[in-house]
Amino acid sequence: MVHDRVRTLLLCGLVSTLVACTGGEPDEPRTEPGAASPGASGIGDPYYPDDGNGGYDATGYEVSVRYDPGTGRLDGDTTVTARATQDLSRFNLDLRGFTVSSVEVDGGPAEFTRESDTELVVTPADPVREGSTFATRVRYSGAPLDATSAQLGDNGWQRSPSGGAFVLGEPHSAAYWYPVNEHPRDKATFRLTARVPSEWTAVSIGRRESSRTADGWTTSTWVEPNPVASYLTTIAIDRFDVVRGTLADGTPVLSAYAPGANDLRDEGDRVGEIIDFLEGEFGEYPQATAGGIYLGADVGFSLETQGRPTYTRTADLETVVHELAHQWWGNTVSVRSWADICLNECLASYSQWLWAEDKEGDDLDARYRRAIDRFAGSAQFWGRKLYDMGPGHEFEGVYSKGILALHALRREIGEDAFGRLLREFPAQHRNGNASWPQFENHAEKLAGRQLDGFLDAWFRGTEQPPDEYLYPGSLRG
Ligand code: ZN
């Protein structure tokens, strides 16, 4: 940009007799109304073409919801602040279900329509100009689409055994309760005002700024100051017992135990100890809060909601280590595409091995060899790709083969480079996004050599890696 202008000025000076040079015109954005065009209906991740939207960058969500477990009805009033990345004649938000009653852009009424299952299409009275910040307020209501017992990887709003509710899902969850640019590539700050009947308690991510009860309703506000990928936001409404504390450095801890989650209190009590351990491995804890939401429901899996993971009733200590490791891997550093999910799950899963090695004196090489022996000849186990595994297959290999791949990488590049990799990468991409190939490049840089053969065999291959990559370093012989 700067160079273009310098060149224009030089050219004007030199050839002013030949070229009509009007001050700065080549750099000015086009301002004629006809130039504005619709924002794309997807952010550009080939894994989920409709996810997220193009033409703007959301910077902050102010979500306000009232939910009554008795009627199952949600009333929402959400303002999305965003910066336009093009002149926008119209743009999309992702929202699943609900009846939208009004949309305003910068305080003025806007037209809107619903398209497919996910798109809320907003046409402001005047186009939004590239580079400008604009606020879209959406009022909506209805019973959230019920996703109870949906499969791993596409979830949403669910009812809990106590009659409460919670929302949980990856890659999709936020659009089940507020309008959103639903893709981790567009991270934004998040603020929630939640109103529930006073016999219920709402819990979310972020700092709880206030909680007041009046006229039979309790209103609480939650503020997440760090940019957060939308699937890492949540709300849970239950008859929670809320326990508050602080980490040694003053970080506020809030743990919420639903009835039926009492078995998880011992694990919940160890969050500080686990974060201490993980800081030793991955560097300073990158989140503003800690704690957990311990559900009484058996969801079958837990989710690393930001600064306060949400746990299924059947979670154990390893699960807590895993979800807290995600606060570095997945949360402060988020995937660019769902093809990069190994950046989250391979690393969070390997943290369980690091914990076992440190706290239980586990011999990881022996554990690795046992696993290799067990899966020798398994076409299914080795057939799962760890990078670019294809939409719908993100969660197949990363928890199992992913651990072995990272242990092999550690032996391939050595203790010093591997340790630096685990600390440098989250710091370098803090509050941002990264791809799996960027992680590989960082590993190569620290190793001081190309690792193509090794990385292709482990992360792109669909067969057991050859012995040179299966038994590197101390695993050899
Ligand atoms: Zn995970």
Side-chain angles (χ1 to χ4, degrees):
M1 194 66 140
V2 171
H3 294 284
D4 281 354
R5 184 176 292 277
V6 169
R7 199 173 56 225
T8 305
L9 291 172
L10 285 173
L11 276 174
C12 290
L14 289 171
V15 293
S16 56
T17 49
L18 301 173
V19 186
C21 287
T22 49
E25 192 190 41
D27 286 336
E28 234 109 74
R30 302 168 68 188
T31 49
E32 61 274 75
S37 57
S41 63
I43 206 167
D45 184 348
Y47 272 46
Y48 298 94
D50 289 339
D51 283 15
N53 306 287
Y56 65 92
D57 174 10
T59 53
Y61 292 90
E62 284 190 48
V63 179
S64 176
V65 295
R66 188 174 66 165
Y67 181 75
D68 183 352
T71 62
R73 180 189 163 96
L74 183 148
D75 295 293
D77 182 348
T78 291
T79 298
V80 183
T81 303
R83 206 183 53 81
T85 56
Q86 66 176 66
D87 285 348
L88 284 168
S89 58
R90 61 177 162 84
F91 59 90
N92 289 20
L93 287 162
D94 301 320
L95 182 67
R96 298 172 188 255
F98 300 110
T99 301
V100 174
S101 55
S102 75
V103 178
E104 289 169 18
V105 175
D106 288 336
E111 286 176 19
F112 61 92
T113 55
R114 309 294 298 273
E115 278 174 18
S116 76
D117 288 343
T118 59
E119 306 295 318
L120 170 65
V121 184
V122 178
T123 306
D126 298 310
V128 179
R129 290 302 160 200
E130 178 177 352
S132 68
T133 295
F134 63 106
T136 308
R137 180 176 183 180
V138 181
R139 275 172 270 208
Y140 53 102
S141 60
L145 292 179
D146 200 305
T148 308
S149 88
Q151 345 159 288
L152 186 75
D154 190 8
N155 295 264
W157 192 269
Q158 304 185 46
R159 300 302 301 253
S160 60
S162 62
F166 57 93
V167 61
L168 220 50
E170 181 185 8
H172 305 123
S173 67
Y176 286 94
W177 65 294
Y178 62 92
V180 56
N181 195 18
E182 188 164 45
H183 194 280
R185 203 179 289 181
D186 191 359
K187 298 165 75 162
T189 58
F190 174 84
R191 184 188 168 89
L192 170 69
T193 303
R195 293 190 84 202
V196 294
S198 56
E199 62 272 27
W200 296 92
T201 299
V203 175
S204 185
I205 63 160
R207 299 193 189 105
R208 192 176 75 177
E209 299 253 298
S210 64
S211 178
R212 309 216 187 300
T213 300
D215 304 325
W217 289 80
T218 300
T219 304
S220 56
T221 55
W222 303 81
V223 177
E224 171 56 53
N226 295 324
V228 55
S230 63
Y231 75 98
L232 300 170
T233 67
T234 193
I235 184 172
I237 297 129
D238 217 310
R239 300 185 196 274
F240 285 117
D241 177 26
V242 174
V243 182
R244 310 179 78 171
T246 50
L247 297 180
D249 69 355
T251 300
V253 180
L254 188 151
S255 307
Y257 298 93
N262 284 324
D263 286 355
L264 291 171
R265 288 190 190 244
D266 290 344
E267 284 76 11
D269 285 345
R270 296 183 68 178
V271 160
E273 174 197 355
I274 296 169
I275 288 177
D276 266 357
F277 166 76
L278 295 173
E279 285 192 313
E281 301 292 330
F282 306 144
E284 194 194 349
Y285 182 59
Q287 304 302 344
T289 65
I293 301 172
Y294 302 91
L295 299 174
D298 184 356
V299 191
F301 35 80
S302 301
L303 186 66
E304 61 269 24
T305 43
Q306 187 147 306
R308 188 169 297 117
T310 306
Y311 296 96
T312 177
R313 193 171 53 74
T314 54
D316 57 14
L317 191 67
E318 277 204 280
T319 314
V320 182
V321 173
H322 179 106
E323 306 309 338
L324 291 175
H326 273 306
Q327 305 307 315
W328 287 260
W329 303 99
N331 294 21
T332 198
V333 187
S334 302
V335 294
R336 268 196 61 71
S337 159
W338 290 105
D340 302 313
I341 192 68
C342 185
L343 201 50
N344 299 11
E345 301 302 346
C346 298
L347 275 295
S349 300
Y350 193 63
S351 77
Q352 300 169 221
W353 276 36
L354 293 170
W355 174 269
E357 180 179 44
D358 189 81
K359 301 283 177 175
E360 286 139 32
D362 235 35
D363 177 345
L364 295 187
D365 283 356
R367 196 164 165 180
Y368 175 90
R369 285 201 182 83
R370 282 199 302 275
I372 299 291
D373 289 345
R374 175 143 62 102
F375 295 116
S378 167
Q380 196 198 48
F381 182 86
W382 295 107
R384 296 170 171 158
K385 293 179 69 179
L386 295 175
Y387 171 60
D388 201 8
M389 57 291 285
H393 300 285
E394 294 91 332
F395 299 103
E396 290 171 6
V398 284
Y399 297 105
S400 46
K401 185 179 166 184
I403 296 182
L404 303 184
L406 284 181
H407 192 63
L409 177 65
R410 179 177 174 185
R411 295 300 181 237
E412 173 76 27
I413 67 177
E415 212 52 12
D416 185 51
F418 189 73
R420 282 184 60 187
L421 178 61
L422 299 192
R423 283 187 302 277
E424 286 179 13
F425 198 78
Q428 183 173 325
H429 299 279
R430 187 165 179 160
N431 289 327
N433 293 88
S435 68
W436 176 256
Q438 282 179 289
F439 180 82
E440 294 181 329
N441 290 342
H442 203 116
E444 289 181 324
K445 199 185 80 189
L446 291 171
R449 61 191 163 89
Q450 297 289 111
L451 301 167
D452 302 47
F454 176 92
L455 295 169
D456 285 349
W458 270 106
F459 295 96
R460 290 166 188 74
T462 54
E463 282 168 26
Q464 179 175 309
D467 279 4
E468 64 174 308
Y469 303 133
L470 204 56
Y471 300 111
S474 64
L475 288 165
R476 194 157 292 147

